[in-house]
Every structure is written in structure tokens, then in C-alpha cells.
Amino acid sequence: MLVTLLWTLSVRTRNFLRTWAPTNILLDHLRARRGITCYLIAFSVALGYFALTVGTAWAVQEGWPKWLYLAFFWCLWNASKFILFIPIEACRRMIRRLRTVRPARAFR
């Protein structure tokens, strides 16, 4: 019973985040795009999040409130999503392309 409850909760959380979280919506949009522009967009968004991460870490070191660590981890998490998107999506596209290539010889 507990396992099914946790399973249901995780599925509903994933569906909620996939529908309403802005970074997940952007990643879904980038997965649908063709060409290298999706990688450049993902890299630039990741750089922006890394800049926010550095800024929040600097602010906490300068004496700002400690709850900014939540913003630090949130920015770090989103930056890592966009950085990891690039090689994972490149591998997915390569695998898709290799599956669609037909062999030179047909088996008879």
C-alpha cells in the first residue's frame, strides 16, 4: 500500500512539474526543436543560472540572509538540468538517427 501511494505521488508530482514548471516546459520545447539552436539556447540559459548561483553564493558570504541558500540550490539544480540536457539530447538524437538508417544489404 505504501509503495503504491509513493508511486502515485511521484507520478502526479512529475506530471505537475512537467506541466507547470517553466524550466521543464522550456526543456520540452527544446527537445522538439531541430538543429544546433536548441543547444545554444540551453547553454545560454545554463550560463544565466550559473551566474545567479554565483551571485547568491556571494550575497550569502557578504552577510545576506541564510535562506538565500535555497535560491542557490534552486539555481544550481536548474543550471545542471540545462547543462546535462546538451549531451543527453545529442546522444538521443544520434541513436534515433542510427535506428532510421537502413543497412546497405538487405537480408534475403
Side-chain angles (χ1 to χ4, degrees):
M1 170 139 168
L2 183 63
V3 174
T4 54
L5 180 66
L6 289 174
W7 185 276
T8 305
L9 182 65
S10 69
V11 168
R12 290 187 180 185
T13 303
R14 180 194 179 278
N15 289 338
F16 176 78
L17 290 175
R18 187 66 62 199
T19 306
W20 295 103
T23 55
N24 291 338
I25 293 170
L26 180 60
L27 284 172
D28 286 341
H29 179 68
L30 291 176
R31 281 187 195 100
R33 293 186 64 140
R34 301 266 185 238
I36 198 165
T37 58
C38 67
Y39 301 122
L40 295 174
I41 293 170
F43 188 71
S44 63
V45 171
L47 283 178
Y49 274 116
F50 275 128
L52 285 172
T53 302
V54 170
T56 55
W58 173 82
V60 170
Q61 286 180 352
E62 291 297 314
W64 286 41
K66 300 291 184 191
W67 60 265
L68 279 177
Y69 279 125
L70 293 173
F72 170 81
F73 286 117
W74 175 73
C75 292
L76 189 64
W77 174 254
N78 285 331
S80 65
K81 282 197 298 190
F82 282 100
I83 285 294
L84 289 175
F85 165 80
I86 297 169
I88 290 172
E89 188 62 23
C91 289
R92 282 182 181 168
R93 287 183 185 195
M94 186 173 37
I95 289 170
R96 249 184 268 137
R97 183 173 289 175
L98 288 175
R99 286 183 180 170
T100 59
V101 172
R102 295 186 179 185
R105 293 184 190 175
F107 293 105
R108 293 181 186 191

